[in-house]
Amino acid sequence: MSTEAPRLIRSIRLLNAAEDRIKTEFTAPPPPEKSLKTPALLELAKEFQPFAVVLTNNAPLKGKDVDALPECVKLVSTVSVGLDHLDIPALHARGIAVSNTPNVLTDCNADLSMMLILAACRRAAEYYTLMKNGWHHGLGMGGMLGHRVTGKRLGIVGMGRIGQAVAKRARGFDMTILYHNRSRLSAAEEAGATYFEKLEDMLPHCDVLTLHMPGSPSAPPLMNSQTFSLLPKGSVFVNAARGSLVDEDALIEALESGHLFGAGLDVYRQEPNPNPRLTALPNIFMTPHAGSATIETRTAMCMLALDNVEALAKGLPMPTPVTV
């Protein structure tokens, strides 16, 4: 009877603590020097015959990619919450389990969302550009004024773990919390927030709107010309959820026209090459899909991905299986 540790491959080098764990608890090839794309990952799977494939959205598995996985693969463990890069029904149809890494990144995503809100309202991108180019003259009384965040009305679309964590932080700025969700939360979870069953009814009341819901490239954008027009003139838009939720042409138009004061974005329809018309706008504060990008959170994500591999290999329930 073989006593070999569970065999795994990964599409990307994990953080040091996770790589150290792989050396002692798993059988694996050396970490890749650079992120593996899907064809290279599939070739490695064919050669190494792993029990589990640990990956990120840089190596999507869909359609024929799923068919190409060898029979030995019993788990695809993604180091992410999002599942857009995986064909879940196809994987399950082949008897391959799927796991992801929710919960551990809630706080850091909420922190980043608050940074985007503050930066967009207080013109951080423009201030930074001014300083980098040389601050040669003082600003007049009305020069480069932003919007106060304290006391504003914050609309949250998607009041799950991250949405609720953003609401908690926003209350520290005395913001009034409004939210739209598939279903209303309990009174304890709402914590005084106002629920709107219809998004269109909430939008006119939002000084700041932030998205925290799943996205799908095949679904029409949630935010388009019509929904942007329902926001008050001079409002701020923030998206740290999914780029597919936004019609970027409509967003650009709203920013250029002045209907929106500014925007804070962490996600884009085209990653890692966002629309250059977006990046050219002065009133956008942009980050590179970095919501979970802290040492603490990324380490926790890597470890949770390995926890799922370990559990399934031992015949135990996985901590965070994907069941839909």
Side-chain angles (χ1 to χ4, degrees):
M1 181 177 179
S2 174
T3 58
E4 183 183 51
R7 298 175 70 84
L8 68 78
I9 61 172
R10 63 273 205 213
S11 68
I12 194 169
R13 182 184 179 89
L14 304 183
L15 268 68
N16 288 342
E19 288 295 338
D20 290 343
R21 181 179 173 186
I22 288 174
K23 290 177 183 177
T24 59
E25 298 182 20
F26 300 92
T27 300
E33 294 183 2
K34 61 180 181 179
S35 175
L36 300 181
K37 299 301 182 182
T38 303
L41 183 67
L42 291 173
E43 183 63 29
L44 180 60
K46 181 179 178 181
E47 293 174 1
F48 194 75
Q49 295 289 298
F51 170 81
V53 176
V54 178
L55 50 68
T56 68
N57 59 4
N58 289 324
L61 293 177
K62 295 190 174 185
K64 293 182 179 179
D65 300 328
V66 175
D67 295 337
L69 288 169
E71 292 294 329
C72 58
V73 175
K74 302 304 178 186
L75 171 64
V76 170
S77 180
T78 181
V79 190
S80 67
V81 173
L83 300 165
D84 301 353
H85 55 296
L86 298 178
D87 189 337
I88 306 300
L91 287 164
H92 284 169
R94 284 205 54 193
I96 299 173
V98 180
S99 65
N100 63 346
T101 58
N103 305 320
V104 294
L105 47 66
T106 296
D107 285 331
C108 281
N109 272 275
D111 289 349
L112 184 83
S113 297
M114 282 306 303
M115 182 180 81
L116 294 175
I117 291 170
L118 291 164
C121 287
R122 294 302 304 270
R123 303 178 74 155
E126 294 168 271
Y127 292 163
Y128 181 74
T129 300
L130 173 66
M131 298 304 293
K132 290 289 286 186
N133 291 339
W135 181 29
H136 301 302
H137 58 82
L139 299 176
M141 183 63 70
M144 296 188 74
L145 299 182
H147 282 299
R148 180 177 66 183
V149 173
T150 299
K152 290 296 191 292
R153 301 168 297 177
L154 175 64
I156 299 175
V157 182
M159 200 65 153
R161 290 181 295 268
I162 296 174
Q164 290 178 51
V166 171
K168 180 180 179 181
R169 286 154 176 74
R171 291 186 185 98
F173 289 86
D174 293 327
M175 299 186 84
T176 299
I177 309 301
L178 320 174
Y179 77 99
H180 167 69
N181 203 45
R182 285 181 296 180
S183 58
R184 184 168 185 172
L185 303 180
S186 68
E189 291 172 319
E190 279 188 342
T194 301
Y195 173 64
F196 287 82
E197 184 177 357
K198 295 182 179 179
L199 175 65
E200 293 77 8
D201 292 340
M202 182 181 77
L203 294 179
H205 303 284
C206 300
D207 299 310
V208 181
L209 180 73
T210 181
L211 307 185
H212 299 285
M213 59 179 288
S216 170
S218 61
L222 178 77
M223 298 305 298
N224 52 36
S225 295
Q226 179 185 3
T227 47
F228 277 124
S229 71
L230 293 175
L231 288 166
K233 182 176 174 59
S235 55
V236 165
F237 173 70
V238 167
N239 184 16
R242 284 291 180 268
S244 60
L245 295 170
V246 180
D247 178 336
E248 291 182 347
D249 289 332
L251 173 59
I252 291 168
E253 180 182 350
L255 288 163
E256 289 180 335
S257 70
H259 182 70
L260 289 178
F261 176 79
L265 304 178
D266 186 50
V267 291
Y268 313 90
R269 295 193 73 88
Q270 303 172 56
E271 296 182 9
N273 299 299
N275 186 332
R277 291 179 62 207
L278 276 178
T279 58
L281 290 171
N283 52 341
I284 296 186
F285 184 87
M286 309 175 81
T287 51
H289 202 150
S292 64
T294 66
I295 295 169
E296 298 87 351
T297 291
R298 289 283 173 86
T299 298
M301 291 169 68
C302 292
M303 289 301 200
L304 181 53
L306 296 180
D307 288 345
N308 281 293
V309 177
E310 179 184 14
L312 190 65
K314 291 180 177 179
L316 301 173
M318 290 189 294
T320 53
V322 175
T323 57
V324 293

